[in-house]
Amino acid sequence: MAAFNIWPLQGLWLPDNYSETGRTIDHLWTLLHTICAVIFLVTGIVLAWALWRAGTGLNKATYFTHNTRLEIIWSIIPGGILVFIAIYQMQSWNENKLLHPKELVNGVSVSRPPLVRVVARRFSWEFHYPGSDEKLETIDDLYFENEMVLPYGEDVVLQLESRDVIHSFFVPKLRVKQDIIPGHAQMIWFQATQEAEVALVCAELCGWGHYAMQGRIKFVSRAEFDSWLTKQMELKSLSQKGSAASKGGLVQTSLETVSINESGQ
Amino acid sequence: MNNNDVTSQDSTNGHHAGRGGLFWFLGTYVFARDHKIIGLQFLFSTLIWMIVGGLLALAVRWQLAWPWSNMPIFGALLFSAEGGQISPEFYNVLFTMHATIMIFFVVIPILAGAFGNYLIPLMVGARDMAFPTLNMMSYWLLWPAFGCMIASMWVPGTGPSAGWTSYPPLSVLFGEAQGLWLLGLIFSGIASMMGAINYITTIIQMRAPGMTLLRMPMTVWGMLITSILQAFALPVLTAALLMLLSDRMFDTSFFLAEGLETPAGTRLAGGGEPLLWQHLFWFYSHPAVYIMILPAMGMVSDILSCFCRKPVFGYRPMVFSMCAIAGMGFIVWGHHMFISGMNYYLSVSFLISTMLIALPSGIKVFNWLATIWGGKIEFSAAMLFALGFVSMFIIGGLSGVVMAVPPIDIMIHDTYYIVAHFHYVLFGSSIFGVFAAIYFWFPKMFGRTMNEGLGKLHFLISFIAVNCTFFPMHFLGARGFPRRYADPYVVEEFRDLLPLNQFITYAAIAMAAAQVLFFLNFFGSLFFGKRTTENPWHANSLEWSVPSPPPHGNFDFQPIVYRGPYEYSVPDRDEDHWPQWVE
Amino acid sequence: MTTTELKHQAAVPIANGKFAIWLFLSTEIMFFSALIGSYIVFRLGAPGVGWPTPHQMHMIEWIGGLNTTLLLASSAAIVMCLESAKRGEVKKARLWLFLTFMLGCGFLAIKGYEYSEKYRHGLFPNMGRQTIFDRVDEAFVAKIAVGTALPIADSTTSIATSNADSGANMRLLHHGIIDWANLELAKPALPSIERQQLLGAIKDLTSLDGPSGTYDAFWSELGTASEAQHVQAIEEAKSQEAELQQLQPSLSATEKVDPTTKARAAELTQSLTRLNKEQAELTDRVMAINKFALGEHESLAEQMGVPVATVIPNGNLWMNTYFLLTGFHALHVFGGLVAMLVLLPVRLNSARAGLVENVALYWHFVDIVWIFLFPLLYLL
């Protein structure tokens, strides 16, 4: 966000946003901090003025114990602001967490199925893509570690799971965060707006390597994504055949043969 | 520790019959049943524990500013195995223990234990607490608790490193010392509960004639509400802690989900619910936030009123907003869990209750401002800290409202924005309130005053350093800088935040230096402070009617209360204060 | 400095002790609310087939009912004690207190009997954190089948089915093994040998057409196979021993021993030690399998190094909460009994009625908690 660029605070505000749903969060963020800044300034000025006045040599303090009208005013106005905030944020919350993206299948609107199954474990991220059967959690799933490729310009749904302890899927530049509780599969969604590479970090303490549990997400166009995925499937079936010949039917998805770096561009 | 009590308290206890001998000594100074001595025991213990907690925080800051570099002096002592560096495991231990000690062994016991004990009977006009022996046990149970805590750091393997929130499955499956940590917490919880029952009984049942509930000083109200919160929220935490302990010790699976992987690679049948812990934990720990601030709010109200020579503005709304905070404090715990995976419609209801609870907090701030307005202010060290409390509570409160909005929580949950917020509330407010209270009641406790000049210098450096330390953390949080990272700079996006973190660490070191001033002042004044009279601040509440320090049994007259505690600068009177006990 | 009591204005016209007891009891209410609340969460959130019924868990209503009666009676007795104390009838009060104490002890004794009954059925508070499935049997069978490298397909196809029920049973077993094997395969760090075995098992089972064999038959088959292995090992050992015996004269007769003979002898000795060890293991295994068929699951689990849980779905969580709730209640009962024991030698006159009343309040609370626990655990 370029809005905050005063020395010495350059770059010390929200990072760039590459997500459609994140815009509402940024908007709320700016709005709330503006309100807070105003309230802070007003109370600060009142406090400073009261203190300064006291230093000018009063003989005796003014005796007053209460002022019902004043108290009603300063209960109702903040109350109104709080109610406004509570109502105003609903849309953003809806978009981010409540309204699962829909898609049309044969003319019927259904919940968009997850594109990738993200499995968190101490201290790495596993990304499982559906294989040729287009279903997750089957034996032909493609499997990558710490590096994920996703298409931009469309709603992407991810299914989050944890193998061991609680982790949290946090992508600052997408304004996406979701704790992953073992035993609960969580869905998150977002729509990236452009080609980008962003950091994925863990935001819930998961042990000594918590800080090192990071991944990269790369957004490419749908066409590129499709061709990348097809290529990965081919590579996998090749390696499977190869290993089937030599090792007697072992299923193996090796990261050396299907590395993201090789096939990205 | 207790030697300090003895020397400082020698004059306090001249009224015991048959002094002398080991048993007399133990009964009077060590296993004392007098609320004042217990209060001082709490005060000295918590100040020592504060040093421990503060050093842990400095170690955390060291790692964030100069990751993996050798720590001077302490590095060689503590981590010689790693060549003087902090290991990532030990980094987790550091912030876990910092939080645990500061919350359960500093802020809560110094507010309720030290000041609650010392002030409640004096302020309501009683000879002692309702149950002196229970009071003594409540103090002495804290030592085994603290012993367990400190011992847990040195257990072979990993110390308690699951954070002070101790979320399972991490806290069940990993970390050898977590059980000892849990035991320490259970002990400290029982200690708090004993105290809470004692305080409530004393305040409700043992007020002097004329001391109606709405004539009680705000301090007593703060203590009462805090104790009620303790009494009703702590048992839930105790139950949860026992279940977690049982998961660790007896292989039950209350908080272990089905099918999760153990370190050994096996899968658990589990069937338990990790989220349940978070609900139970925050059911206590959110009220605990108010437990850590309400007494300070009460004490600061008294101090502001006294040094402004003005009544507290809107006494009744102040009391009612405290009650409202306490009541609603029980239904807002879910705002710690907006993105935890609980039902997202539930988040909305927790948002609404959180917005509701922001209102009484706001009203309190406005009332303080109105109290200051038009006052004849004496800028003593105590007053400065009280003003610091108000100004920083405004910042902490405002960031609290921002965080209460669920979509924003998506961005800043578990980032340094949260760290900034709760340090503004817990350090900027609570601990500043404690400092104000120490400067204010020190004359009553020891019959001597603390050095004002040093006190003001202490305030000046602390105020600047606290803001330099914690305000930039908001910016870190805005960038998505996660908390509890041993080395955040492994993430490319956070690498440019290193200079800011170094700045924060310098500020933190300055803050620690200011506290050295405080300790010099405190312990120096115990022996060399100027002797003082029974009411040096010309304050109104009952504790100023007795000698400083008060004798055993407190009152040598039957205190009768004629008015509220804030009759300062009453128009038709020559004297600018009108004590509660004067007809 | 006077030592006279100060005057106070109490908000509630009762003694401080009684006030504090009421406060203490309200904290206790919060404590038990947390425990019972957790129980409700677990119960409503139980995955799969749901929460076990009391009968599945060997809960016997009349024993629980008897315990309820004992506690209720003890509550009445302590009220009588209080009344007697108020009237100053010290001896009567003591008798009533003693009766309360004995009834409380009776409650704990019955509770202890119930606990021991649970243990006898293998229901421990800490069983079964180590298994994956609610349908533990299948996972367990699968592990054992792979662990013994037993050809599953052979053992199951050869068994003819006689009725539809056992056919369904067997199908369940197959599915269980396939599910389990697939899950195991998903582990990235799986040793390749184990991976091969698992794939083989899946292949064998999926190639099977429909049901074949019964659950019990599988176990008998497993037993027979192990027995066969056992016999084979014994046979082999016998033949090798005979060969060694033959070599013995040539080893001891001459000064210069043929190096090949010497080597062979050494080899045989070594092999015999191994066979003996194997034989012992197989003996254990056969015994364990036979025990398993009789329902003693733990012995085989230990023998195979495969942990096994109670076979009742959600049973372990049930046991966790059962021992949690009744355990903490029993601790509270125990606390009350200690308080009564302290009061027993005291002269309970009207001046000390307050003490009795405080204990009675606490005792009623313990009673009320049980009134909640009894239907939750025994009836619902």
Side-chain angles (χ1 to χ4, degrees), chain B residues 25 48 75 148 170 177 185 219 230 234 275 305 318 324 333 423 496 520 529 571:
Chain B
F25 175 79
I48 288 165
C148 285
L170 182 68
L185 222 51
T219 305
Q230 292 263 38
L234 248 175
L275 261 183
S305 168
M318 289 284 254
W333 80 88
H423 279 98
D496 62 318
L520 285 178

Side-chain angles (χ1 to χ4, degrees), chain A residues 120-124 163-165 167 206-209 213, chain B residues 170 174 263:
Chain A
R121 62 185 306 155
R122 285 172 35 116
F123 304 105
S124 63
R163 272 189 201 279
D164 34 41
V165 300
H167 300 278
C206 56
W208 68 267
M213 185 170 166
Chain B
L170 182 68
F174 299 90

